[in-house]
Amino acid sequence: WKLSVFSPEKFWRGFPAEGSPIEPLLYAWLLVALQAAPAFLVQAANFGQIKASLGILGKDLPSWIANQSPWTWAAWLTLPLLVIYPVSFFLGAGLTHLGCKLWGAADKGFATTARVMGYSQGPILLGWVPVVGMVAMVWLIVLQVLGIARVHGTSPGKATLGVLTMPLALTCCFLGIAVVFAVAILGRLR
């Protein structure tokens, strides 16, 4: 963990590109599980603020929120992520590999990309810490780019495009859909 997070160039230089994606999945899943406990406590502690913020909007809280305890609220937000993590891991690795293929940044197979994605998840341990978590997630992306560039033997520019293409494309799609729905709702309110 320490080598992959703080000395990524050294880590990726000695990284075997070939191998099963299962070990990196288990490594990443363990990190997600370790950060789930403090994230659970943060979600429970923030529940009162969430209810107050929704109340400021002048809306009555839906009963499914109003009747929650802080602990059930936190469980609803953290436990499903643990359960579906393997699916999201392979989906994310697949989308990253597709992005890398589009830019010619994946001369090795999907398993290699999945291995890089798994072993670059070290910063996720700090994902629950306010503000620090955002910096950690940016560092996680940097680790992915460094890993893709080194292990696939491509340029950092192509690796960056490969790692970011699909998330940016999906974000644009979702924003476009949100705008269409917002326009439709505003049109009905007139």
Side-chain angles (χ1 to χ4, degrees):
W1 178 85
K2 184 178 175 183
L3 191 63
S4 70
V5 173
F6 297 111
S7 301
E9 186 60 35
K10 184 177 179 183
F11 177 78
W12 294 122
R13 195 175 322 118
F15 185 78
E18 302 302 320
S20 169
I22 299 303
E23 288 175 9
L25 162 66
L26 295 176
Y27 171 76
W29 203 1
L30 174 64
L31 295 176
V32 168
L34 289 174
Q35 71 87 34
F40 177 88
L41 295 175
V42 168
Q43 293 296 342
N46 287 338
F47 183 60
Q49 179 64 40
I50 290 167
K51 286 174 73 171
S53 296
L54 291 173
I56 289 173
L57 295 174
K59 304 280 185 191
D60 289 330
L61 291 177
S63 62
W64 65 272
I65 293 178
N67 296 333
Q68 299 279 329
S69 75
W71 307 112
T72 55
W73 174 260
W76 277 111
L77 292 178
T78 55
L79 295 179
L81 298 175
L82 281 173
V83 174
I84 66 167
Y85 186 77
V87 173
S88 67
F89 172 82
F90 284 113
L91 182 62
L95 290 172
T96 299
H97 190 67
L98 177 61
C100 289
K101 282 288 201 188
L102 289 172
W103 296 101
D107 68 337
K108 295 179 178 63
F110 166 77
T112 299
T113 302
R115 290 173 56 76
V116 169
M117 299 304 285
Y119 286 120
S120 62
Q121 297 298 308
I124 206 163
L125 283 177
L126 300 174
W128 63 274
V129 180
V131 181
V132 173
M134 290 189 300
V135 174
M137 294 307 106
V138 170
W139 184 242
L140 186 149
I141 293 168
V142 169
L143 292 176
Q144 290 173 346
V145 168
L146 293 173
I148 292 292
R150 174 60 94 168
V151 177
H152 279 291
T154 190
S155 70
K158 284 184 177 182
T160 301
L161 290 170
V163 168
L164 295 179
T165 294
M166 296 313 286
L168 291 175
L170 291 172
T171 300
C172 288
C173 288
F174 286 125
L175 286 176
I177 291 168
V179 167
V180 168
F181 277 114
V183 168
I185 290 170
L186 290 174
R188 295 183 104 195
L189 293 177
R190 286 186 184 185

